[in-house]
Amino acid sequence: MKKISILIPCYNEEKSLPLLYPELVKLMDANQGYDWELMFVNDGSVDGTLAELQRLRQQDSRVSYVDLSRNFGKEAAMLAGFDYVTGDCTVIMDADMQHPPTLIPELVKWWEQGYDDVYAKRKSRGRESWLRKRMSLLFYKVLQLSSRFDVLQNVGDFRLLDRKCINALRKMRESERYTKGMYCWIGFKKKEVEFVQGDRVAGDSSWSYGRLFSLAIDGITSFTSLPLRISTVIGFIVSLLAFCYMVFVFTEALIWGDPVQGYPTLVVLILFLGGIQLLSLGIIGEYIGRIYNETKNRPDYIVREFNGEDVL
Ligand code: UDP
Ligand code: MG
């Protein structure tokens, strides 16, 4: 029998789990032709999520959980899941019921037809603020323009991955993870399926604007060095203009004997160039910071226990 793993990263989901689990049981009971594994990753929740998982594990041996030693973020939690799942394929989904379990049989159907990465694309983004939608749109535009890989818009982590894809993703141990880009990077045969994303059933989304912004920067810096190239080009253009202007000022002073003047121009130019320099330094800094983090070579997550047993 083929085995299907469902990977669910959980951060403070004690209220969602009692709603999600019965749905998954329904799904598993309706598809008994497969072996099922529910792999929950508790990403350092501060509520009763762990207790809830322990309870589920006790009553249902298909449930497994990885308990991380603190909150490492969803990206790291998913990597932990990749390391622990054992299925022939893995479905990644959120715990908050925004990803309908009823879509899973369709994902599986395409997988059976030979697709390795069946991803779900949301038709509408559900209840989200106008600003957030705009910002997300802008981010994808920037990413699409700047990298060679088509990072798809409105496609999240809800997808089915074949064992091959999981193995490929496990090899990518970078610390500033942007998994959405990695799915594209690894390639394999992809298939799109549409779904309507619901609203979160309980609790609040843990993605503040600050966190989303830093994920966006991670996304851009981990997939393209174009910002560095842009600052080089801007530097080049500005120097060229400055050179022309210098020639002009010199000839004016030497030939016509005009006294050099223009305090406002000077101030504006200094500020403008200062701004560009700081910006370029910032961009370089973003990349160096990432190099620094990467060279420390720390593990991406630390496991406290797996299915109730300490991990050494
Ligand atoms: N999540 C996680 N670690 C975190 C933040 C979120 O494992 O630090 C999980 C969360 O429990 C949920 C999924 O990632 O299952 C998506 O999170 P959320 O619903 O907050 O994000 P959104 O749907 O708003 O993108
Ligand atoms: Mg959500």
Side-chain angles (χ1 to χ4, degrees):
M1 243 196 305
K2 287 184 186 168
K3 187 171 188 182
I4 302 178
S5 303
I6 300 185
L7 164 57
I8 307 162
C10 306
Y11 176 58
N12 293 347
E13 302 282 6
E14 67 174 351
K15 292 204 192 73
S16 321
L17 289 178
L19 299 166
L20 175 70
Y21 176 70
E23 293 292 318
L24 292 175
V25 169
K26 249 188 257 168
L27 169 82
M28 296 189 292
D29 288 347
N31 296 278
Q32 302 216 349
Y34 294 101
D35 255 345
W36 292 89
E37 172 185 60
L38 303 181
M39 181 65 67
F40 294 91
V41 180
N42 177 31
D43 185 17
S45 303
V46 289
D47 64 355
T49 303
L50 179 63
E52 185 63 28
L53 292 177
Q54 283 163 339
R55 196 178 63 79
L56 292 179
R57 164 82 188 162
Q58 250 165 24
Q59 69 182 51
D60 186 344
S61 62
R62 293 171 296 188
V63 173
S64 288
Y65 65 89
V66 184
D67 182 34
L68 302 186
S69 61
R70 65 168 167 87
N71 179 244
F72 283 88
K74 186 186 176 189
E75 307 287 316
M78 285 196 296
L79 179 66
F82 296 157
D83 288 339
Y84 278 86
V85 287
T86 57
D88 297 299
C89 72
T90 298
V91 176
I92 309 170
M93 65 186 295
D94 286 0
D96 57 5
M97 301 280 280
Q98 283 189 298
H99 299 160
T102 44
L103 191 75
I104 294 176
E106 198 184 336
L107 301 181
V108 173
K109 187 187 83 192
W110 290 111
W111 173 60
E112 288 287 8
Q113 294 188 13
Y115 291 96
D116 301 312
D117 176 359
V118 189
Y119 58 86
K121 181 183 168 119
R122 22 177 208 272
K123 270 190 233 159
S124 70
R125 293 181 63 94
R127 202 174 43 194
E128 256 182 333
S129 74
W130 178 87
L131 181 66
R132 200 160 160 165
K133 274 185 198 161
R134 282 294 109 155
M135 296 221 314
S136 134
L137 212 70
L138 178 76
F139 165 67
Y140 282 105
K141 270 269 136 53
V142 172
L143 204 59
Q144 249 156 24
L145 286 176
S146 61
S147 77
R148 286 193 297 124
F149 309 100
D150 252 354
V151 177
L152 297 160
Q153 201 190 345
N154 280 343
V155 174
D157 293 311
F158 187 26
R159 58 179 68 219
L160 181 150
L161 296 167
D162 187 77
R163 188 78 234 167
K164 291 188 282 243
C165 302
I166 297 289
N167 287 343
L169 290 170
R170 287 181 63 193
K171 290 194 190 128
M172 303 174 78
R173 315 292 304 185
E174 62 222 58
S175 51
E176 321 277 334
R177 302 183 70 77
Y178 184 65
T179 320
K180 270 185 218 146
M182 295 180 185
Y183 302 129
C184 304
W185 191 90
I186 57 170
F188 291 110
K189 230 175 130 190
K190 297 187 190 298
K191 171 77 194 163
E192 181 175 298
V193 169
E194 285 199 326
F195 80 107
V196 179
Q197 175 163 317
D199 290 323
R200 190 172 237 292
V201 279
D204 286 315
S205 168
S206 40
W207 296 96
S208 59
Y209 281 113
R211 242 175 139 170
L212 279 176
F213 181 71
S214 96
L215 184 70
I217 299 278
D218 277 348
I220 291 169
T221 50
S222 63
F223 278 89
T224 167
S225 51
L226 190 78
L228 292 171
R229 175 72 49 80
I230 292 174
S231 52
T232 314
V233 172
I234 292 179
F236 184 73
I237 294 173
V238 170
S239 330
L240 201 73
L241 291 177
F243 181 76
C244 297
Y245 186 60
M246 185 184 77
V247 172
F248 168 73
V249 170
F250 267 119
T251 41
E252 208 183 28
L254 289 177
I255 298 175
W256 287 284
D258 275 357
V260 182
Q261 41 162 284
Y263 175 74
T265 343
L266 262 180
V267 170
V268 167
L269 275 179
I270 289 175
L271 287 180
F272 175 66
L273 284 182
I276 290 186
Q277 280 168 355
L278 284 181
L279 185 74
S280 311
L281 262 182
I283 293 174
I284 298 174
E286 288 288 340
Y287 283 93
I288 294 183
R290 277 165 180 75
I291 297 172
Y292 168 64
N293 275 339
E294 219 61 69
T295 50
K296 281 194 284 190
N297 219 354
R298 293 194 180 159
D300 292 297
Y301 61 85
I302 294 188
V303 176
R304 183 162 44 197
E305 60 172 84
F306 175 59
N307 284 343
E309 282 167 30
D310 289 351
V311 171
L312 301 172

